[in-house]
Amino acid sequence: MPKLYQAISLALLVALTQTSCSSSKPATQESTASTSRSKAASGTDIKSYSDVITKSAVTDEGVFTIHKVGDKFYYEIPDSLLQRDFLWISRFANLPSGLGGGYVNAGSSVNEQMVEWQKFENKIVLKTKSYNAYAADSLPISLSVRANNYQPTIYAFDIAALSKDSSGYVIDVTKFLTSDVKAFSGLDADMRKEYKVSKLDDSRSFIHSAKSFPLNIEVKQDFTYDAAEPPSNSATGSISLMMNQSMVLLPKTPMQPRINDYRVGYFNINQYDYGSEALKADQKSYIRRWKLVPKDIEAYKRGELVEPVNPIVYYLDPATPEKLRPYIKEGVEQWQEAFETAGFKNAIIAKDPPSAEEDPDFSPEDVRYSVIRYVASTTRNAMGPSVSDPRSGEIIESDIIWYHNHLRSYRNRYLLETGAANPAARTLDTPIEDLGEMMKEVITHEVGHALGLPHNMKASSAYPTDSLRSGEFTQKYGIAATIMDYARYNYVAQPGDKDIRFVRQLGPYDHYVINWGYRYLPEANSAEAEVPTLDKWIEAKANDPMYRFGSGSGGYDPESQTEGIGADVIKASTYGLKNLKQVAPKLYDWTAAQTNDYDDLEELYGELLGVWSRYIGHVVTNVGGVREERMKPSQQGYIFTAVPAKEQTTSLDWLLKNAFSSPEWLHQSKISRNIHHANYVESVRNLQERHLNSLLSPDRMARLMENEVNDVNYNALDMVRQLQRGIWSEVYSGSKVDIYRRNLQKAYLDRMDYLLNQKQPTRNSRYGTPVELNQSDIRSIVRGELVQLQKQLKSARNRYANDLTRYHVDDAIVRIDNILNPTNS
């Protein structure tokens, strides 16, 4: 063999040997990155660093280095941060009045998603990432999970240059940050349709600022859209808003999660584990909570109160009125009591906003700061949203939102619900101390949401109703077992009751739930290892109603409904109506007589009707009601138990007397004749019809029919007969039918027509109770009872001398004919 060929053969052999050896080992990250950068450098469009990042560049170093060169913005992305998990939060920084109907404000989050930056050939790609489905990388099925959960690409960037030391990539983000990227936009599809948005106007859109910090990037974009019907400033034909984009680097190792238990109330995140041995994708649910770790773990183990390494800190919005700041701080820090039960001191702190000298970078939109936002809006509400790591449930930031007009709602409710027994409430000029106490408790409630706690509507039924008339009891325990219930005021207390607490406060459940979710368990090295201890804590309190949880969803559990207090809803609503009947005649004197104006009187009277309606609605839930007790198979008893028959019949009798009789006490001439020319009768009709339709809803009747197999001696036919006889009682007594009752009886026939003749989907219920009307007893019951009613009406019509009553009866007879024979109508 010639020497030249021998040399070539030897070189090929060495090359093949090296290739074979290297392929038997995984390439190191550094060698892969080096190769990647070498390939990138060979791209024809990639320039030298100095050609892109010129001497005129304004540079801001942080998680990514940001360069501003002229009117262009560049990100310099370290190679080490490719394929790292980031959380991207899009918020409104500024927005026009009325956008979103008043419930959207500066600081509102419009989207949060996990993203990662990847390199593909000569591009850097920004992709969304999800942890909804996962499997450990060591398992073969992880390949299928990735293949069947391929995530969208949000944007692809050309690599403009390599970093000076070739340790990263420079990309131009100008077009990206000035484009209408749907994943980060403040205008969702519904808004675009409502306001007839045609496009983003590039000439009036720009990057306001871009700042980089050690763990996050904050960008503000000023966008103007062409819109034919904007929510305000309609003459401009446009919508301008400022968006804040926060990109937060998540820790490499997620916080150890805590497994959710539906018997305790926490917001949660859900994941499907395809690596499970359960012969299916096993759903894992983890609670959302802040990461609190004791500074001194040994002292914590000894039972001493220990400060956390990183406490939860809330800053007040610089826009907050000075006189309200102390109450807001107290509302935040009131949770320190509950965290002490979990072994932490100073776990949650409220601070004034820093001055420009103290922190020049402070911004309420910056995801590093949790802020109590004070919003200049006529909306009457408050909210407690938070942002969490979707991998573990760790809450990393939250903004409590307080709308300026919200205290007016509390002033009004305070007057209406407690005014009979509480002299301090009988005025429009509520003392600032009382308003401050209300605000403090609302802030505490909203911070509770931001700590991971949902509403617990079951808690208000934990206390015996008459205990709410005890000063000693209410001062110690409040009016519900948790601040997370919608139990705002003590409307049960009566005139003459002494030393009553009228406003809600933290309760025993709050201490229990914070301990359950936040107590640090140093011996447990996995989420699964914590479960025996967590179960033990729940079962220790299982028979005490003060520690029960119920979301209030479903509308079927009378012990778990909004705005109720006390264990006995009939007794509580009776007390509430008794108080309301004392407030109604005084309303004029407490408002218009003091202000020489009818605006407050009109507003409060409308709300008084709403309060009356709420008390009625609480009792409605007893009829066809099912009590839910959250438990596991290891516990004794049933989860669902129907309300006893006697309690259901008593409830319907109460409704016939208090909801469906003529409510003459509500008709205050000095009110109705000064606020509207003709609206009172229609308002009453509307409210009565609402509760009547609720009683005669398919889902409630389905639950009543279920009683037949649950040994409850009260079914749908019993309810309809009792209701029909009560609503049409004049037919049996021969008495005159007044205008309220005529309206109610017509509403009854309309509802029966609906139940008998309307086409319904198979699952006809807002609450999900399944019922197929055509194949259920509902239509049989409706038809049979209408036939009986028509007979009674025909028999009774000649007994009426009053023309209007007789005409009404004749009309009802014809209406029933048309309902029973719709093809003839």
Side-chain angles (χ1 to χ4, degrees), residues 311-360:
I312 304 163
V313 179
Y314 278 96
Y315 290 90
L316 271 61
D317 191 324
T320 307
E322 290 286 346
K323 68 178 181 178
L324 298 177
R325 292 187 179 193
Y327 304 112
I328 295 174
K329 287 182 179 179
E330 289 175 20
V332 174
E333 295 185 350
Q334 190 170 201
W335 280 105
Q336 288 184 2
E337 305 169 26
F339 278 107
E340 287 179 3
T341 303
F344 292 101
K345 67 179 179 181
N346 301 323
I348 183 166
I349 301 167
K351 294 184 177 181
D352 285 320
S355 65
E357 293 74 24
E358 292 170 324
D359 186 349

Side-chain angles (χ1 to χ4, degrees), residues 10 21 52 55 142-143 178 192 206 221 256 338 410 504 506-507 534 537 595 624 646 702 717 744 790:
L10 181 61
C21 291
V52 177
K55 292 181 179 180
S142 65
L143 300 172
T178 54
R192 290 169 189 262
F206 51 88
Q221 307 155 298
Q256 180 173 297
Y410 278 83
R504 62 183 170 178
L506 282 178
L534 300 175
W537 292 344
T595 63
K646 184 176 180 181
L717 176 57
L744 179 65
Q790 189 180 51

Side-chain angles (χ1 to χ4, degrees), residues 595-624:
T595 63
N596 197 31
D597 188 281
Y598 289 115
D599 289 347
D600 289 298
L601 176 63
E602 182 175 4
E603 179 180 315
L604 277 158
Y605 185 70
E607 292 191 28
L608 183 142
L609 293 176
V611 173
W612 171 63
S613 180
R614 271 199 301 275
Y615 297 160
I616 299 300
H618 293 158
V619 181
V620 168
T621 311
N622 259 348
V623 182

Side-chain angles (χ1 to χ4, degrees), residues 554-735:
Y556 52 79
D557 185 352
E559 294 181 342
S560 186
Q561 49 184 331
T562 62
E563 313 290 354
I565 57 174
D568 185 333
V569 295
I570 296 177
K571 182 180 284 189
S573 288
T574 300
Y575 279 135
L577 286 180
K578 189 176 179 181
N579 283 337
L580 215 53
K581 288 176 182 179
Q582 295 184 61
V583 168
K586 298 291 186 182
L587 207 54
Y588 182 92
D589 295 336
W590 296 345
T591 58
Q594 304 299 317
T595 63
N596 197 31
D597 188 281
Y598 289 115
D599 289 347
D600 289 298
L601 176 63
E602 182 175 4
E603 179 180 315
L604 277 158
Y605 185 70
E607 292 191 28
L608 183 142
L609 293 176
V611 173
W612 171 63
S613 180
R614 271 199 301 275
Y615 297 160
I616 299 300
H618 293 158
V619 181
V620 168
T621 311
N622 259 348
V623 182
V626 179
R627 294 189 173 112
E628 181 181 5
E629 196 72 48
R630 298 187 175 208
M631 59 180 67
K632 287 192 174 180
S634 58
Q635 298 171 258
Q636 298 297 313
Y638 297 109
I639 293 176
F640 299 106
T641 305
V643 172
K646 184 176 180 181
E647 196 172 340
Q648 295 194 52
T649 57
T650 301
S651 297
L652 191 46
D653 282 338
W654 188 94
L655 291 167
L656 289 167
K657 178 182 177 182
N658 293 284
F660 301 132
S661 61
S662 300
E664 294 170 353
W665 65 272
L666 278 170
H667 185 228
Q668 305 290 323
S669 295
K670 288 174 74 174
I671 299 176
S672 61
R673 295 174 68 177
N674 283 314
I675 64 176
H676 203 280
H677 68 282
N679 191 49
Y680 168 70
V681 171
E682 177 62 17
S683 296
V684 171
R685 183 209 61 77
N686 183 275
L687 290 172
Q688 288 184 326
E689 181 191 31
R690 181 189 306 170
H691 293 300
L692 177 65
N693 289 350
S694 178
L695 277 170
L696 291 171
S697 60
D699 66 295
R700 190 180 309 280
M701 296 181 76
R703 293 196 297 273
L704 284 161
M705 290 187 293
E706 194 93 358
N707 285 345
E708 190 173 330
V709 297
N710 286 328
D711 299 322
V712 180
N713 192 28
Y714 189 75
N715 58 33
L717 176 57
D718 296 325
M719 187 273 282
V720 173
R721 279 182 172 168
Q722 185 183 359
L723 180 64
Q724 181 168 285
R725 188 171 184 88
I727 285 180
W728 296 88
S729 60
E730 296 89 345
V731 175
Y732 303 96
S733 66
S735 57

Side-chain angles (χ1 to χ4, degrees), residues 212-228:
S212 189
F213 302 98
L215 294 176
N216 61 301
I217 286 176
E218 303 294 327
V219 175
K220 286 187 178 178
Q221 307 155 298
D222 207 316
F223 283 165
T224 295
Y225 295 86
D226 291 333

Side-chain angles (χ1 to χ4, degrees), residues 275-282:
S276 167
E277 298 294 333
L279 302 182
K280 64 172 185 175
D282 194 15

Side-chain angles (χ1 to χ4, degrees), residues 9-19:
S9 298
L10 181 61
L12 285 172
L13 180 61
V14 169
L16 288 171
T17 303
Q18 289 175 337
T19 301

